[in-house]
Amino acid sequence: MAACAIRRGLLSTASKYNQHKCTHRILSALDFSSGLETKRLQPKCSACGLSSFQQTRFMSSRNRPEGKILEPVGVFEALKQHGKYETGQLFLHSVFGYRGIVLFPWHARLYDRDVSPAAADSKPDSVGHGSKEVKGKMHTYYQVLIDTRDCPHISQRSQTEAVTFLANHDDSRALYAIPGLDYVSHEDILPYNSTEQVPIQHELFERFLMFNPSKNPPFTARDTLRAWQEKNHPWLELSDVHRETTENIRVTVIPFYMGMREAQNSHVYWWRYCIRLENLGNEVVQLRERHWRIFSLSGTLETVRGRGVVGKEPVLSREQPAFQYSSHVSLQAPSGHMWGTFCFERTDGSHFDVRIPPFSLESNKYDKAPPTGYPL
């Protein structure tokens, strides 16, 4: 993994850290790919070893490639329990461990099928999926840049070229991607600060952000970032997030509308969808098959079965609990629905199905031509 981190929600409060006189430095695990054996990244001081809770496993020097050492990258900050992180906030990803920086926030409706209706907000949106009414509550997600030094260490667990666009030419199926972009939930962020003026290595870092020591965080948006966000807003914004857990395997789905193309005298509407699979239990399981049902407003119902996802059959364990990928779907109608199951295999050879929460495919009300390039 690419950095040290914690199990969500267990970072101690700022006051607890302030009671300890040591400077709590973050150690980067950039130079090893499999030595971190905790289920979530955990904040542990490189000097004094203080942790907000008892660590269950530790990095072993046996797993560290020869000549590779841990390097300090910054100092942890207190988690924000309320409000949102600002543009320029440095963070470690609590699940995948990479270093990143916040570009801008999004406000999405989270439809969590694991939450009972009584636990929903007082004024939620309601969505009926099957016989169960799901309450949607507002939740913050972030568009972020991933440090390219960490990409090789997370590529087997999370795609680093997952944010795609329709190309602006005659081939309606052509896509292009911006490497090193991701969407991060508020609880995925472990904020830290750094004295480096260029703490994140990414080709867009200095084009989008500038160092301003008088600000907190000290990295502010350039005009190029604001212009890029405004131009690409319809194809970057996430509006709905769907989540459901089956037998300790949580599936999170985020659909994105990509735009419309004309093909053979008909309109073809495109979406991408990002899926994260998380093992919340202790049992080792492996994804074997996918089974999708795709309904189009035109009246068609398509069934898709296949081995694995994106050519992989990931293993989810305590050491590597999550896998994230993106894929695409097109319809000859402006809206539709998708749902299905993933088939997982246990170590004893038995199988079980994990539900994929139903989600809508909706085109934007005001359709525009997709962007022609990046960043401007």
Side-chain angles (χ1 to χ4, degrees), residues 246-290:
T246 307
E247 296 197 34
N248 288 321
I249 305 299
R250 184 165 66 189
V251 180
T252 303
V253 184
I254 309 176
F256 300 86
Y257 178 59
M258 298 179 63
M260 181 269 293
R261 278 286 186 262
E262 292 187 10
Q264 299 178 346
N265 297 321
S266 65
H267 291 168
V268 179
Y269 298 83
W270 282 84
W271 291 265
R272 71 177 180 273
Y273 52 92
C274 177
I275 291 185
R276 183 190 295 184
L277 304 169
E278 291 182 86
N279 186 353
L280 305 180
N282 297 323
E283 193 174 28
V284 177
V285 297
Q286 184 170 12
L287 190 154
R288 291 301 191 185
E289 295 180 353
R290 68 189 186 278

mmCIF file of all heavy atoms in Angstrom, residues 246-290:
data_model
loop_
_atom_site.group_PDB
_atom_site.id
_atom_site.type_symbol
_atom_site.label_atom_id
_atom_site.label_comp_id
_atom_site.label_asym_id
_atom_site.label_seq_id
_atom_site.Cartn_x
_atom_site.Cartn_y
_atom_site.Cartn_z
ATOM 1 N N THR A 246 -24.129 -7.313 1.774
ATOM 2 C CA THR A 246 -24.613 -8.690 1.832
ATOM 3 C C THR A 246 -23.507 -9.567 2.411
ATOM 4 O O THR A 246 -22.401 -9.611 1.861
ATOM 5 C CB THR A 246 -24.977 -9.217 0.432
ATOM 6 O OG1 THR A 246 -25.884 -8.316 -0.212
ATOM 7 C CG2 THR A 246 -25.614 -10.602 0.519
ATOM 8 N N GLU A 247 -23.775 -10.238 3.505
ATOM 9 C CA GLU A 247 -22.810 -11.147 4.139
ATOM 10 C C GLU A 247 -21.430 -10.492 4.286
ATOM 11 O O GLU A 247 -20.402 -11.058 3.906
ATOM 12 C CB GLU A 247 -22.717 -12.457 3.360
ATOM 13 C CG GLU A 247 -24.024 -13.249 3.349
ATOM 14 C CD GLU A 247 -23.836 -14.689 2.942
ATOM 15 O OE1 GLU A 247 -22.776 -15.267 3.266
ATOM 16 O OE2 GLU A 247 -24.751 -15.228 2.297
ATOM 17 N N ASN A 248 -21.433 -9.281 4.811
ATOM 18 C CA ASN A 248 -20.219 -8.508 5.126
ATOM 19 C C ASN A 248 -19.481 -7.982 3.897
ATOM 20 O O ASN A 248 -18.377 -7.452 4.027
ATOM 21 C CB ASN A 248 -19.240 -9.321 5.984
ATOM 22 C CG ASN A 248 -19.734 -9.494 7.399
ATOM 23 O OD1 ASN A 248 -20.309 -8.581 7.980
ATOM 24 N ND2 ASN A 248 -19.516 -10.671 7.960
ATOM 25 N N ILE A 249 -20.069 -8.093 2.720
ATOM 26 C CA ILE A 249 -19.472 -7.507 1.520
ATOM 27 C C ILE A 249 -20.312 -6.296 1.124
ATOM 28 O O ILE A 249 -21.481 -6.436 0.745
ATOM 29 C CB ILE A 249 -19.406 -8.508 0.352
ATOM 30 C CG1 ILE A 249 -18.677 -9.782 0.783
ATOM 31 C CG2 ILE A 249 -18.720 -7.862 -0.847
ATOM 32 C CD1 ILE A 249 -17.240 -9.559 1.226
ATOM 33 N N ARG A 250 -19.725 -5.129 1.250
ATOM 34 C CA ARG A 250 -20.446 -3.895 0.921
ATOM 35 C C ARG A 250 -20.126 -3.457 -0.502
ATOM 36 O O ARG A 250 -18.955 -3.388 -0.902
ATOM 37 C CB ARG A 250 -20.076 -2.770 1.897
ATOM 38 C CG ARG A 250 -20.888 -1.499 1.648
ATOM 39 C CD ARG A 250 -20.798 -0.538 2.809
ATOM 40 N NE ARG A 250 -19.452 -0.015 2.992
ATOM 41 C CZ ARG A 250 -19.079 0.716 4.052
ATOM 42 N NH1 ARG A 250 -19.949 0.967 5.003
ATOM 43 N NH2 ARG A 250 -17.844 1.160 4.142
ATOM 44 N N VAL A 251 -21.181 -3.172 -1.251
ATOM 45 C CA VAL A 251 -21.052 -2.698 -2.630
ATOM 46 C C VAL A 251 -21.518 -1.250 -2.680
ATOM 47 O O VAL A 251 -22.636 -0.934 -2.267
ATOM 48 C CB VAL A 251 -21.883 -3.557 -3.597
ATOM 49 C CG1 VAL A 251 -21.740 -3.038 -5.028
ATOM 50 C CG2 VAL A 251 -21.470 -5.021 -3.518
ATOM 51 N N THR A 252 -20.665 -0.372 -3.172
ATOM 52 C CA THR A 252 -21.007 1.039 -3.360
ATOM 53 C C THR A 252 -20.958 1.357 -4.843
ATOM 54 O O THR A 252 -19.978 1.030 -5.520
ATOM 55 C CB THR A 252 -20.032 1.955 -2.604
ATOM 56 O OG1 THR A 252 -20.037 1.621 -1.218
ATOM 57 C CG2 THR A 252 -20.428 3.418 -2.759
ATOM 58 N N VAL A 253 -22.009 1.982 -5.362
ATOM 59 C CA VAL A 253 -22.102 2.306 -6.787
ATOM 60 C C VAL A 253 -22.314 3.802 -6.950
ATOM 61 O O VAL A 253 -23.174 4.393 -6.289
ATOM 62 C CB VAL A 253 -23.260 1.554 -7.467
ATOM 63 C CG1 VAL A 253 -23.274 1.847 -8.967
ATOM 64 C CG2 VAL A 253 -23.164 0.058 -7.219
ATOM 65 N N ILE A 254 -21.533 4.412 -7.845
ATOM 66 C CA ILE A 254 -21.699 5.827 -8.181
ATOM 67 C C ILE A 254 -21.821 5.938 -9.694
ATOM 68 O O ILE A 254 -20.845 5.712 -10.413
ATOM 69 C CB ILE A 254 -20.518 6.685 -7.705
ATOM 70 C CG1 ILE A 254 -20.197 6.430 -6.231
ATOM 71 C CG2 ILE A 254 -20.814 8.166 -7.923
ATOM 72 C CD1 ILE A 254 -18.974 7.184 -5.740
ATOM 73 N N PRO A 255 -23.014 6.261 -10.214
ATOM 74 C CA PRO A 255 -23.165 6.428 -11.667
ATOM 75 C C PRO A 255 -22.897 7.868 -12.103
ATOM 76 O O PRO A 255 -23.152 8.820 -11.352
ATOM 77 C CB PRO A 255 -24.630 6.052 -11.901
ATOM 78 C CG PRO A 255 -25.319 6.416 -10.623
ATOM 79 C CD PRO A 255 -24.303 6.284 -9.506
ATOM 80 N N PHE A 256 -22.386 8.018 -13.329
ATOM 81 C CA PHE A 256 -22.097 9.328 -13.917
ATOM 82 C C PHE A 256 -22.633 9.357 -15.343
ATOM 83 O O PHE A 256 -22.406 8.417 -16.110
ATOM 84 C CB PHE A 256 -20.585 9.601 -13.966
ATOM 85 C CG PHE A 256 -19.893 9.599 -12.641
ATOM 86 C CD1 PHE A 256 -19.435 8.417 -12.089
ATOM 87 C CD2 PHE A 256 -19.688 10.776 -11.956
ATOM 88 C CE1 PHE A 256 -18.791 8.409 -10.870
ATOM 89 C CE2 PHE A 256 -19.043 10.781 -10.739
ATOM 90 C CZ PHE A 256 -18.594 9.595 -10.198
ATOM 91 N N TYR A 257 -23.290 10.421 -15.674
ATOM 92 C CA TYR A 257 -23.715 10.618 -17.066
ATOM 93 C C TYR A 257 -22.549 11.178 -17.864
ATOM 94 O O TYR A 257 -21.867 12.099 -17.423
ATOM 95 C CB TYR A 257 -24.903 11.570 -17.124
ATOM 96 C CG TYR A 257 -25.371 11.870 -18.526
ATOM 97 C CD1 TYR A 257 -25.800 10.843 -19.364
ATOM 98 C CD2 TYR A 257 -25.396 13.170 -19.002
ATOM 99 C CE1 TYR A 257 -26.237 11.111 -20.650
ATOM 100 C CE2 TYR A 257 -25.847 13.459 -20.288
ATOM 101 C CZ TYR A 257 -26.265 12.419 -21.110
ATOM 102 O OH TYR A 257 -26.699 12.702 -22.381
ATOM 103 N N MET A 258 -22.312 10.635 -19.065
ATOM 104 C CA MET A 258 -21.167 11.044 -19.871
ATOM 105 C C MET A 258 -21.543 11.852 -21.102
ATOM 106 O O MET A 258 -20.686 12.507 -21.693
ATOM 107 C CB MET A 258 -20.368 9.813 -20.304
ATOM 108 C CG MET A 258 -19.780 9.027 -19.148
ATOM 109 S SD MET A 258 -18.866 7.573 -19.709
ATOM 110 C CE MET A 258 -17.542 8.336 -20.649
ATOM 111 N N GLY A 259 -22.802 11.772 -21.527
ATOM 112 C CA GLY A 259 -23.209 12.523 -22.698
ATOM 113 C C GLY A 259 -23.891 11.645 -23.724
ATOM 114 O O GLY A 259 -24.059 10.435 -23.544
ATOM 115 N N MET A 260 -24.289 12.270 -24.832
ATOM 116 C CA MET A 260 -25.027 11.589 -25.889
ATOM 117 C C MET A 260 -24.266 11.694 -27.201
ATOM 118 O O MET A 260 -23.633 12.704 -27.481
ATOM 119 C CB MET A 260 -26.426 12.199 -26.012
ATOM 120 C CG MET A 260 -27.307 11.565 -27.078
ATOM 121 S SD MET A 260 -27.150 12.400 -28.684
ATOM 122 C CE MET A 260 -27.894 13.994 -28.298
ATOM 123 N N ARG A 261 -24.356 10.647 -27.993
ATOM 124 C CA ARG A 261 -23.757 10.622 -29.321
ATOM 125 C C ARG A 261 -24.783 10.107 -30.319
ATOM 126 O O ARG A 261 -25.661 9.307 -29.967
ATOM 127 C CB ARG A 261 -22.521 9.715 -29.335
ATOM 128 C CG ARG A 261 -21.262 10.382 -28.808
ATOM 129 C CD ARG A 261 -20.741 11.375 -29.842
ATOM 130 N NE ARG A 261 -19.476 11.923 -29.451
ATOM 131 C CZ ARG A 261 -19.306 13.085 -28.864
ATOM 132 N NH1 ARG A 261 -20.368 13.809 -28.539
ATOM 133 N NH2 ARG A 261 -18.108 13.546 -28.578
ATOM 134 N N GLU A 262 -24.659 10.550 -31.556
ATOM 135 C CA GLU A 262 -25.510 10.032 -32.618
ATOM 136 C C GLU A 262 -24.770 8.908 -33.332
ATOM 137 O O GLU A 262 -23.593 9.039 -33.678
ATOM 138 C CB GLU A 262 -25.877 11.144 -33.600
ATOM 139 C CG GLU A 262 -26.787 12.213 -33.001
ATOM 140 C CD GLU A 262 -27.263 13.203 -34.047
ATOM 141 O OE1 GLU A 262 -27.034 12.931 -35.255
ATOM 142 O OE2 GLU A 262 -27.861 14.222 -33.665
ATOM 143 N N ALA A 263 -25.473 7.802 -33.522
ATOM 144 C CA ALA A 263 -24.886 6.651 -34.200
ATOM 145 C C ALA A 263 -25.973 5.954 -35.006
ATOM 146 O O ALA A 263 -27.018 5.583 -34.454
ATOM 147 C CB ALA A 263 -24.265 5.678 -33.197
ATOM 148 N N GLN A 264 -25.725 5.814 -36.305
ATOM 149 C CA GLN A 264 -26.664 5.133 -37.198
ATOM 150 C C GLN A 264 -28.078 5.692 -37.062
ATOM 151 O O GLN A 264 -29.054 4.977 -36.860
ATOM 152 C CB GLN A 264 -26.652 3.622 -36.919
ATOM 153 C CG GLN A 264 -25.286 2.989 -37.151
ATOM 154 C CD GLN A 264 -25.278 1.503 -36.836
ATOM 155 O OE1 GLN A 264 -26.194 0.991 -36.210
ATOM 156 N NE2 GLN A 264 -24.241 0.800 -37.286
ATOM 157 N N ASN A 265 -28.143 7.012 -37.142
ATOM 158 C CA ASN A 265 -29.415 7.744 -37.122
ATOM 159 C C ASN A 265 -30.203 7.567 -35.819
ATOM 160 O O ASN A 265 -31.429 7.691 -35.805
ATOM 161 C CB ASN A 265 -30.289 7.322 -38.311
ATOM 162 C CG ASN A 265 -29.645 7.656 -39.647
ATOM 163 O OD1 ASN A 265 -29.023 8.708 -39.794
ATOM 164 N ND2 ASN A 265 -29.789 6.755 -40.616
ATOM 165 N N SER A 266 -29.504 7.264 -34.740
ATOM 166 C CA SER A 266 -30.166 7.167 -33.443
ATOM 167 C C SER A 266 -29.276 7.799 -32.383
ATOM 168 O O SER A 266 -28.075 8.002 -32.597
ATOM 169 C CB SER A 266 -30.452 5.710 -33.076
ATOM 170 O OG SER A 266 -29.243 4.993 -32.902
ATOM 171 N N HIS A 267 -29.867 8.107 -31.251
ATOM 172 C CA HIS A 267 -29.121 8.698 -30.147
ATOM 173 C C HIS A 267 -28.653 7.600 -29.203
ATOM 174 O O HIS A 267 -29.425 6.713 -28.823
ATOM 175 C CB HIS A 267 -29.990 9.705 -29.386
ATOM 176 C CG HIS A 267 -30.297 10.931 -30.173
ATOM 177 N ND1 HIS A 267 -31.253 11.849 -29.788
ATOM 178 C CD2 HIS A 267 -29.775 11.403 -31.326
ATOM 179 C CE1 HIS A 267 -31.292 12.839 -30.675
ATOM 180 N NE2 HIS A 267 -30.408 12.579 -31.618
ATOM 181 N N VAL A 268 -27.391 7.668 -28.806
ATOM 182 C CA VAL A 268 -26.823 6.716 -27.854
ATOM 183 C C VAL A 268 -26.364 7.499 -26.630
ATOM 184 O O VAL A 268 -25.557 8.427 -26.744
ATOM 185 C CB VAL A 268 -25.638 5.937 -28.459
ATOM 186 C CG1 VAL A 268 -25.053 4.976 -27.416
ATOM 187 C CG2 VAL A 268 -26.077 5.172 -29.703
ATOM 188 N N TYR A 269 -26.889 7.134 -25.463
ATOM 189 C CA TYR A 269 -26.570 7.811 -24.206
ATOM 190 C C TYR A 269 -25.577 6.951 -23.425
ATOM 191 O O TYR A 269 -25.740 5.732 -23.319
ATOM 192 C CB TYR A 269 -27.839 8.032 -23.381
ATOM 193 C CG TYR A 269 -28.853 8.916 -24.077
ATOM 194 C CD1 TYR A 269 -29.737 8.382 -25.013
ATOM 195 C CD2 TYR A 269 -28.917 10.281 -23.805
ATOM 196 C CE1 TYR A 269 -30.668 9.187 -25.661
ATOM 197 C CE2 TYR A 269 -29.843 11.096 -24.443
ATOM 198 C CZ TYR A 269 -30.706 10.539 -25.374
ATOM 199 O OH TYR A 269 -31.632 11.347 -26.009
ATOM 200 N N TRP A 270 -24.559 7.620 -22.888
ATOM 201 C CA TRP A 270 -23.469 6.907 -22.219
ATOM 202 C C TRP A 270 -23.383 7.278 -20.745
ATOM 203 O O TRP A 270 -23.570 8.438 -20.364
ATOM 204 C CB TRP A 270 -22.126 7.244 -22.884
ATOM 205 C CG TRP A 270 -21.905 6.511 -24.172
ATOM 206 C CD1 TRP A 270 -22.347 6.861 -25.412
ATOM 207 C CD2 TRP A 270 -21.175 5.301 -24.339
ATOM 208 N NE1 TRP A 270 -21.941 5.949 -26.340
ATOM 209 C CE2 TRP A 270 -21.216 4.976 -25.711
ATOM 210 C CE3 TRP A 270 -20.485 4.459 -23.465
ATOM 211 C CZ2 TRP A 270 -20.597 3.843 -26.224
ATOM 212 C CZ3 TRP A 270 -19.861 3.337 -23.987
ATOM 213 C CH2 TRP A 270 -19.923 3.033 -25.345
ATOM 214 N N TRP A 271 -23.084 6.268 -19.931
ATOM 215 C CA TRP A 271 -22.809 6.462 -18.506
ATOM 216 C C TRP A 271 -21.571 5.666 -18.124
ATOM 217 O O TRP A 271 -21.250 4.638 -18.761
ATOM 218 C CB TRP A 271 -23.968 5.951 -17.638
ATOM 219 C CG TRP A 271 -25.214 6.744 -17.718
ATOM 220 C CD1 TRP A 271 -25.626 7.741 -16.888
ATOM 221 C CD2 TRP A 271 -26.274 6.592 -18.689
ATOM 222 N NE1 TRP A 271 -26.856 8.226 -17.278
ATOM 223 C CE2 TRP A 271 -27.274 7.542 -18.376
ATOM 224 C CE3 TRP A 271 -26.451 5.749 -19.795
ATOM 225 C CZ2 TRP A 271 -28.434 7.662 -19.129
ATOM 226 C CZ3 TRP A 271 -27.608 5.878 -20.539
ATOM 227 C CH2 TRP A 271 -28.584 6.825 -20.209
ATOM 228 N N ARG A 272 -20.858 6.148 -17.139
ATOM 229 C CA ARG A 272 -19.854 5.319 -16.477
ATOM 230 C C ARG A 272 -20.352 5.103 -15.045
ATOM 231 O O ARG A 272 -21.123 5.895 -14.521
ATOM 232 C CB ARG A 272 -18.467 5.970 -16.482
ATOM 233 C CG ARG A 272 -18.296 7.170 -15.578
ATOM 234 C CD ARG A 272 -16.845 7.678 -15.607
ATOM 235 N NE ARG A 272 -16.664 8.832 -14.740
ATOM 236 C CZ ARG A 272 -16.868 10.091 -15.091
ATOM 237 N NH1 ARG A 272 -17.243 10.368 -16.331
ATOM 238 N NH2 ARG A 272 -16.680 11.074 -14.239
ATOM 239 N N TYR A 273 -19.901 4.023 -14.444
ATOM 240 C CA TYR A 273 -20.274 3.767 -13.056
ATOM 241 C C TYR A 273 -19.058 3.232 -12.325
ATOM 242 O O TYR A 273 -18.309 2.407 -12.836
ATOM 243 C CB TYR A 273 -21.454 2.797 -12.955
ATOM 244 C CG TYR A 273 -21.302 1.508 -13.710
ATOM 245 C CD1 TYR A 273 -20.764 0.375 -13.100
ATOM 246 C CD2 TYR A 273 -21.696 1.402 -15.044
ATOM 247 C CE1 TYR A 273 -20.623 -0.810 -13.787
ATOM 248 C CE2 TYR A 273 -21.562 0.217 -15.739
ATOM 249 C CZ TYR A 273 -21.021 -0.884 -15.114
ATOM 250 O OH TYR A 273 -20.880 -2.063 -15.807
ATOM 251 N N CYS A 274 -18.851 3.784 -11.146
ATOM 252 C CA CYS A 274 -17.734 3.390 -10.292
ATOM 253 C C CYS A 274 -18.270 2.471 -9.204
ATOM 254 O O CYS A 274 -19.285 2.778 -8.579
ATOM 255 C CB CYS A 274 -17.075 4.627 -9.670
ATOM 256 S SG CYS A 274 -15.730 4.250 -8.529
ATOM 257 N N ILE A 275 -17.601 1.335 -9.001
ATOM 258 C CA ILE A 275 -18.035 0.361 -8.008
ATOM 259 C C ILE A 275 -16.889 0.053 -7.051
ATOM 260 O O ILE A 275 -15.764 -0.218 -7.489
ATOM 261 C CB ILE A 275 -18.525 -0.933 -8.671
ATOM 262 C CG1 ILE A 275 -19.828 -0.663 -9.420
ATOM 263 C CG2 ILE A 275 -18.710 -2.047 -7.645
ATOM 264 C CD1 ILE A 275 -20.468 -1.887 -10.022
ATOM 265 N N ARG A 276 -17.197 0.109 -5.751
ATOM 266 C CA ARG A 276 -16.228 -0.318 -4.751
ATOM 267 C C ARG A 276 -16.782 -1.528 -4.006
ATOM 268 O O ARG A 276 -17.927 -1.523 -3.562
ATOM 269 C CB ARG A 276 -15.923 0.787 -3.737
ATOM 270 C CG ARG A 276 -14.836 0.351 -2.734
ATOM 271 C CD ARG A 276 -14.678 1.314 -1.583
ATOM 272 N NE ARG A 276 -14.192 2.599 -2.023
ATOM 273 C CZ ARG A 276 -13.894 3.599 -1.187
ATOM 274 N NH1 ARG A 276 -14.042 3.435 0.123
ATOM 275 N NH2 ARG A 276 -13.460 4.741 -1.648
ATOM 276 N N LEU A 277 -15.958 -2.546 -3.888
ATOM 277 C CA LEU A 277 -16.280 -3.747 -3.128
ATOM 278 C C LEU A 277 -15.431 -3.729 -1.869
ATOM 279 O O LEU A 277 -14.216 -3.569 -1.943
ATOM 280 C CB LEU A 277 -15.975 -5.002 -3.942
ATOM 281 C CG LEU A 277 -16.653 -5.099 -5.315
ATOM 282 C CD1 LEU A 277 -16.061 -6.245 -6.122
ATOM 283 C CD2 LEU A 277 -18.146 -5.287 -5.146
ATOM 284 N N GLU A 278 -16.073 -3.890 -0.697
ATOM 285 C CA GLU A 278 -15.349 -3.870 0.569
ATOM 286 C C GLU A 278 -15.739 -5.075 1.423
ATOM 287 O O GLU A 278 -16.923 -5.347 1.615
ATOM 288 C CB GLU A 278 -15.654 -2.590 1.346
ATOM 289 C CG GLU A 278 -15.078 -1.330 0.725
ATOM 290 C CD GLU A 278 -15.378 -0.115 1.573
ATOM 291 O OE1 GLU A 278 -14.610 0.163 2.513
ATOM 292 O OE2 GLU A 278 -16.386 0.556 1.305
ATOM 293 N N ASN A 279 -14.739 -5.758 1.918
ATOM 294 C CA ASN A 279 -14.954 -6.877 2.829
ATOM 295 C C ASN A 279 -14.925 -6.338 4.256
ATOM 296 O O ASN A 279 -13.868 -5.970 4.773
ATOM 297 C CB ASN A 279 -13.869 -7.937 2.621
ATOM 298 C CG ASN A 279 -14.113 -9.202 3.426
ATOM 299 O OD1 ASN A 279 -15.026 -9.248 4.254
ATOM 300 N ND2 ASN A 279 -13.310 -10.220 3.190
ATOM 301 N N LEU A 280 -16.069 -6.307 4.914
ATOM 302 C CA LEU A 280 -16.171 -5.779 6.267
ATOM 303 C C LEU A 280 -15.989 -6.856 7.325
ATOM 304 O O LEU A 280 -15.998 -6.563 8.520
ATOM 305 C CB LEU A 280 -17.526 -5.095 6.466
ATOM 306 C CG LEU A 280 -17.884 -3.987 5.461
ATOM 307 C CD1 LEU A 280 -19.248 -3.402 5.786
ATOM 308 C CD2 LEU A 280 -16.820 -2.913 5.416
ATOM 309 N N GLY A 281 -15.806 -8.100 6.892
ATOM 310 C CA GLY A 281 -15.641 -9.203 7.823
ATOM 311 C C GLY A 281 -14.216 -9.725 7.848
ATOM 312 O O GLY A 281 -13.290 -9.091 7.344
ATOM 313 N N ASN A 282 -14.046 -10.909 8.415
ATOM 314 C CA ASN A 282 -12.720 -11.517 8.567
ATOM 315 C C ASN A 282 -12.451 -12.628 7.560
ATOM 316 O O ASN A 282 -11.314 -13.079 7.405
ATOM 317 C CB ASN A 282 -12.564 -12.086 9.979
ATOM 318 C CG ASN A 282 -12.650 -10.999 11.035
ATOM 319 O OD1 ASN A 282 -12.162 -9.888 10.833
ATOM 320 N ND2 ASN A 282 -13.283 -11.306 12.167
ATOM 321 N N GLU A 283 -13.489 -13.080 6.870
ATOM 322 C CA GLU A 283 -13.365 -14.212 5.969
ATOM 323 C C GLU A 283 -12.755 -13.785 4.640
ATOM 324 O O GLU A 283 -13.087 -12.730 4.104
ATOM 325 C CB GLU A 283 -14.748 -14.826 5.730
ATOM 326 C CG GLU A 283 -14.732 -16.168 5.063
ATOM 327 C CD GLU A 283 -16.121 -16.781 4.997
ATOM 328 O OE1 GLU A 283 -17.105 -16.009 4.962
ATOM 329 O OE2 GLU A 283 -16.225 -18.015 4.995
ATOM 330 N N VAL A 284 -11.855 -14.595 4.098
ATOM 331 C CA VAL A 284 -11.259 -14.334 2.792
ATOM 332 C C VAL A 284 -12.220 -14.816 1.707
ATOM 333 O O VAL A 284 -12.679 -15.962 1.740
ATOM 334 C CB VAL A 284 -9.903 -15.045 2.649
ATOM 335 C CG1 VAL A 284 -9.328 -14.822 1.250
ATOM 336 C CG2 VAL A 284 -8.932 -14.552 3.708
ATOM 337 N N VAL A 285 -12.536 -13.941 0.764
ATOM 338 C CA VAL A 285 -13.456 -14.290 -0.317
ATOM 339 C C VAL A 285 -12.877 -13.793 -1.642
ATOM 340 O O VAL A 285 -12.060 -12.873 -1.665
ATOM 341 C CB VAL A 285 -14.861 -13.693 -0.102
ATOM 342 C CG1 VAL A 285 -15.496 -14.260 1.163
ATOM 343 C CG2 VAL A 285 -14.800 -12.175 -0.043
ATOM 344 N N GLN A 286 -13.325 -14.398 -2.735
ATOM 345 C CA GLN A 286 -12.866 -14.000 -4.065
ATOM 346 C C GLN A 286 -14.056 -13.816 -4.987
ATOM 347 O O GLN A 286 -14.955 -14.656 -5.049
ATOM 348 C CB GLN A 286 -11.916 -15.039 -4.653
ATOM 349 C CG GLN A 286 -11.322 -14.616 -5.999
ATOM 350 C CD GLN A 286 -10.208 -15.526 -6.468
ATOM 351 O OE1 GLN A 286 -10.006 -16.611 -5.916
ATOM 352 N NE2 GLN A 286 -9.458 -15.091 -7.465
ATOM 353 N N LEU A 287 -14.062 -12.705 -5.727
ATOM 354 C CA LEU A 287 -15.118 -12.448 -6.692
ATOM 355 C C LEU A 287 -14.911 -13.350 -7.905
ATOM 356 O O LEU A 287 -13.829 -13.372 -8.486
ATOM 357 C CB LEU A 287 -15.110 -10.981 -7.113
ATOM 358 C CG LEU A 287 -16.302 -10.487 -7.940
ATOM 359 C CD1 LEU A 287 -16.496 -8.998 -7.748
ATOM 360 C CD2 LEU A 287 -16.123 -10.776 -9.419
ATOM 361 N N ARG A 288 -15.951 -14.073 -8.278
ATOM 362 C CA ARG A 288 -15.848 -15.008 -9.398
ATOM 363 C C ARG A 288 -16.660 -14.590 -10.612
ATOM 364 O O ARG A 288 -16.195 -14.716 -11.739
ATOM 365 C CB ARG A 288 -16.283 -16.416 -8.948
ATOM 366 C CG ARG A 288 -15.330 -17.082 -7.977
ATOM 367 C CD ARG A 288 -13.949 -17.217 -8.573
ATOM 368 N NE ARG A 288 -13.077 -18.085 -7.777
ATOM 369 C CZ ARG A 288 -11.796 -18.277 -8.041
ATOM 370 N NH1 ARG A 288 -11.226 -17.657 -9.065
ATOM 371 N NH2 ARG A 288 -11.065 -19.061 -7.278
ATOM 372 N N GLU A 289 -17.899 -14.107 -10.397
ATOM 373 C CA GLU A 289 -18.759 -13.795 -11.533
ATOM 374 C C GLU A 289 -19.574 -12.529 -11.259
ATOM 375 O O GLU A 289 -19.788 -12.153 -10.112
ATOM 376 C CB GLU A 289 -19.726 -14.952 -11.819
ATOM 377 C CG GLU A 289 -19.051 -16.237 -12.259
ATOM 378 C CD GLU A 289 -20.069 -17.337 -12.525
ATOM 379 O OE1 GLU A 289 -21.274 -17.114 -12.241
ATOM 380 O OE2 GLU A 289 -19.664 -18.410 -13.004
ATOM 381 N N ARG A 290 -20.014 -11.923 -12.335
ATOM 382 C CA ARG A 290 -20.932 -10.782 -12.253
ATOM 383 C C ARG A 290 -22.193 -11.121 -13.040
ATOM 384 O O ARG A 290 -22.148 -11.851 -14.042
ATOM 385 C CB ARG A 290 -20.290 -9.512 -12.813
ATOM 386 C CG ARG A 290 -20.047 -9.556 -14.324
ATOM 387 C CD ARG A 290 -19.220 -8.380 -14.809
ATOM 388 N NE ARG A 290 -19.092 -8.333 -16.258
ATOM 389 C CZ ARG A 290 -18.222 -9.037 -16.960
ATOM 390 N NH1 ARG A 290 -17.401 -9.879 -16.340
ATOM 391 N NH2 ARG A 290 -18.163 -8.931 -18.268
#
